[in-house]
Amino acid sequence: MYNAKLTRRTLLAGAAAISTVGLPRFSLADTPTDVLIVGHVAELQTLDPAQAVTISDFRILCNIYDSLLHYKDGSLDVEPGLAESWVISPDGKTYTFNLRKGVKFHDGTDFNADAVKFNFDRVLDASHPFHDTGPFPFVFTLGPIERTEVVGPYQVILHLKEPYAPALSMLAGAIGGLAGISPAAVKTYGKDFARHGGGTGPFKFVEWVSGQRFVLEANKSYWRGAPALSGLVFRPIVDENARVSEMLSGGTDVTIEVPPDNIATFTASKAFTYYQQPGPHLWYLVLNTKTKPFDDKRVRQAINYAINKEAMVKDVLKDTATVASSVTPPAFIWAYDNALKPYPYDPAKAKQLLAEAGYGNGVDVTFYVTESGSGMLSPVLMGTAIQADLEAVGIRAKIETYEWNTFLGKIIPSLPPTVAVAELSFMTQDPDMHPALALRTGGAVNSGGFSNPKVDALIDQGRAETDPAKRAVIYKQLQDIVYDEAPWVFVANWKQNAVSSARVKGFELHPSFTTRFYGASKV
């Protein structure tokens, strides 16, 4: 219920008591009763959705920014957002959006067609005066947009060079939130916009104390109506055991990504509500295909045989995931190749392939592991289990562990030549996005440097083909090639989870892996 006495000062005062430094004991009594405290897996990187690259960022940003389109509850099907309606030309190259009237940005300026054009031009046009507020590594997922055209105060057209099948899905997705950025805020802050932000969403930015808290307050003028909550406080708690401890002791109201070993503790208690929602997720090892030993396909296949993924899913992840077989997650039922089975656990086969490749005496590699991160599950435990499996076949992996944002900085856009393998996970809303980003030659997050002309061609075909049945055939062909080439070790497809206090109502996980708090309340 809304607390009429809440002010920006009381919100900040309560939030100031929250710290992750040493994780002191914290009571929710220190904050207003209608402010939700969220245990978050990582520190926020940016307040600019055009710059963001991780789901951990988008989980926060989706509460600040609206997209032209919106995912329906519990689905990846699209519905109106900042655009009330849209028309696609018969050739699939022109998208006309009729925009919602009366919407205000957080700074009080008007949302309109000029604002949408500004936001798309900023990231697409290198000559735009605010293009230097980037970089914008995921912007290509919006498709081959040639130009934007304002045809009325509330009507804008996106002209594409060629048909782009994932267009609507991407415009509803996390990167699509760039359409709802305040041009006035970008002009005011310039390159510092990433630390200030400004959108049209249900919550507004208040404070960001790195390593401690990120604070939002309700946008009482939100076009869909004011949120029930007066504010949100995201606490970056990297250590998964610490996140559990804070949830149990009352330091947080909601915790995203519950460690598998602790799920039973929460499901057994009426004081908590446990949530689980499948979605398109892949946890994998990216292999450095540019340097030895993984420049040899036989070694890449060997490491796929070397890891006991069934045991990983059962013993480490406690059946909160399934064994992965492909670059395409099974959540994309229409595009997933059911005939493609996971690489079996076969240490003898792994040793044979290593010997054939000239590594009969084994090989030493450097293995990057992260402490936490969006969709990374239990990365340290998983890394240790993988290290043991690799040791058994002669791949001697030296683990180097890093904090999530530091980790990303080390592997994107590419692994250093001295690093052979790294953990990674990816959540997506279309089967095009992950291959285009991470397998295409020169892709923005192609950390392993993989390059295959056939894969590149199939990615291009899949993006341009608007017939779902024909797209499915293309993606199944893509999966077969990637499976054989083995640029990654396919490990697990996760069923995302979260836990909340039983006092939290109206919160649900979404297949897009974003966390929407607009409909949530605390009783």
Side-chain angles (χ1 to χ4, degrees), residues 304-305 309-310 323-326 336-344 479-480 483-484 490:
N304 271 279
Y305 285 114
K309 296 175 281 292
E310 290 281 359
V323 176
S325 64
S326 166
Y336 179 67
D337 188 354
N338 282 298
L340 204 60
K341 303 304 178 185
Y343 274 85
Q479 289 166 69
D480 290 344
Y483 181 92
D484 179 65
F490 311 103

Side-chain angles (χ1 to χ4, degrees), residues 112-422:
N112 53 34
D114 287 331
V116 174
K117 178 175 173 57
F118 175 93
N119 287 321
F120 278 93
D121 288 353
R122 174 174 77 106
V123 300
L124 294 167
D125 181 2
S127 66
H128 190 274
F130 290 93
H131 186 74
D132 65 352
T133 54
F136 313 112
F138 276 19
V139 73
F140 84 96
T141 61
L142 294 171
I145 300 173
E146 189 171 40
R147 63 187 177 92
T148 57
E149 178 186 4
V150 172
V151 292
Y154 295 95
Q155 190 175 67
V156 65
I157 300 176
L158 300 182
H159 295 275
L160 277 61
K161 297 176 184 177
E162 58 194 26
Y164 178 58
L168 295 181
S169 182
M170 293 299 103
L171 289 171
I175 185 65
L178 68 85
I181 290 173
S182 164
V186 174
K187 293 173 183 177
T188 297
Y189 297 113
K191 292 182 179 180
D192 290 333
F193 175 75
R195 291 288 303 193
H196 293 85
T200 64
F203 293 93
K204 301 189 291 185
F205 170 61
V206 174
E207 183 188 40
W208 180 358
V209 180
S210 295
Q212 295 187 30
R213 60 187 179 270
F214 183 81
V215 184
L216 304 177
E217 65 180 353
N219 176 11
K220 297 178 184 178
S221 302
Y222 187 46
W223 57 270
R224 295 173 64 190
L229 294 168
S230 293
L232 296 168
V233 179
F234 292 88
R235 298 179 59 195
I237 308 175
V238 172
D239 182 81
E240 58 185 24
N241 293 320
R243 286 200 303 276
V244 170
S245 177
E246 287 297 288
M247 190 72 216
L248 290 171
S249 65
T252 52
D253 294 303
V254 177
T255 291
I256 311 299
E257 300 192 24
V258 182
D261 283 338
N262 302 103
I263 290 173
T265 300
F266 294 113
T267 56
S269 173
K270 293 183 179 179
F272 302 100
T273 302
Y274 178 72
Y275 309 83
Q276 185 170 281
Q277 170 66 63
H281 168 275
L282 174 64
W283 197 104
Y284 61 105
L285 300 180
V286 58
L287 307 177
N288 194 336
T289 65
K290 303 185 300 297
T291 60
K292 295 182 181 300
F294 294 120
D295 59 339
D296 190 318
K297 183 173 76 171
R298 293 169 295 185
V299 183
R300 300 197 298 267
Q301 291 177 337
I303 191 173
N304 271 279
Y305 285 114
I307 296 171
N308 190 341
K309 296 175 281 292
E310 290 281 359
M312 182 87 66
V313 165
K314 181 180 179 181
D315 299 333
V316 178
L317 300 180
K318 310 298 183 184
D319 293 319
T320 59
T322 57
V323 176
S325 64
S326 166
V327 61
T328 301
F332 293 124
I333 298 172
W334 61 276
Y336 179 67
D337 188 354
N338 282 298
L340 204 60
K341 303 304 178 185
Y343 274 85
Y345 176 52
D346 192 340
K349 180 70 170 177
K351 290 179 180 179
Q352 175 192 333
L353 287 167
L354 285 170
E356 291 176 3
Y359 298 101
N361 294 323
V363 62
D364 296 296
V365 299
T366 298
F367 177 18
Y368 274 3
V369 169
T370 180
E371 295 175 349
S372 66
S374 51
M376 289 305 301
L377 312 184
S378 297
V380 175
L381 288 176
M382 294 172 76
T384 302
I386 289 168
Q387 182 187 43
D389 284 344
L390 298 184
E391 178 74 24
V393 301
I395 302 176
R396 297 175 293 272
K398 176 188 175 184
I399 288 179
E400 294 185 11
T401 305
Y402 298 96
E403 176 272 333
W404 178 235
N405 289 329
T406 301
F407 176 84
L408 290 177
K410 286 181 172 292
I411 70 168
I412 296 175
S414 64
L415 288 168
T418 56
V419 178
V421 58

Side-chain angles (χ1 to χ4, degrees), residues 95-114:
Y95 287 70
T96 302
F97 294 95
N98 300 305
L99 305 179
R100 198 174 296 278
K101 299 176 182 177
V103 176
K104 296 282 187 181
F105 289 108
H106 296 157
D107 55 21
T109 56
D110 292 327
F111 168 78
N112 53 34
D114 287 331

